[in-house]
Amino acid sequence: MARPQMLKLPEVLAEIGMSRAAFYRMRARGHAPRLIKLPNGQLRVRRSDLDAWLADCETAAA
């Protein structure tokens, strides 16, 4: 069974073209993809969660 791809926050920000501050504002409002906090404190986003979030954004904009 393959492990899901985990993206670092800078990779996510580069892909969606958003600043860290804007991302955290969206996250505070509950409008950002789900973050996973690793035991060492680093944050990751599953590729599948990011893709689902982007699809929801497209649906909301239509």
Side-chain angles (χ1 to χ4, degrees):
M1 182 175 196
R3 287 182 29 216
Q5 183 180 5
M6 305 289 271
L7 303 170
K8 295 178 181 178
L9 189 55
E11 294 170 329
V12 172
L13 296 174
E15 185 169 330
I16 63 176
M18 185 178 287
S19 71
R20 184 179 296 264
F23 182 84
Y24 277 110
R25 282 193 300 272
M26 286 182 59
R27 183 174 178 236
R29 292 184 208 122
H31 299 295
R34 192 169 78 124
L35 293 176
I36 298 166
K37 189 171 188 177
L38 300 178
N40 62 4
Q42 294 181 1
L43 298 173
R44 296 287 188 274
V45 177
R46 284 189 183 98
R47 165 54 67 188
S48 59
D49 289 342
L50 179 60
D51 291 342
W53 177 78
L54 288 170
D56 287 344
C57 290
E58 288 177 10
T59 302

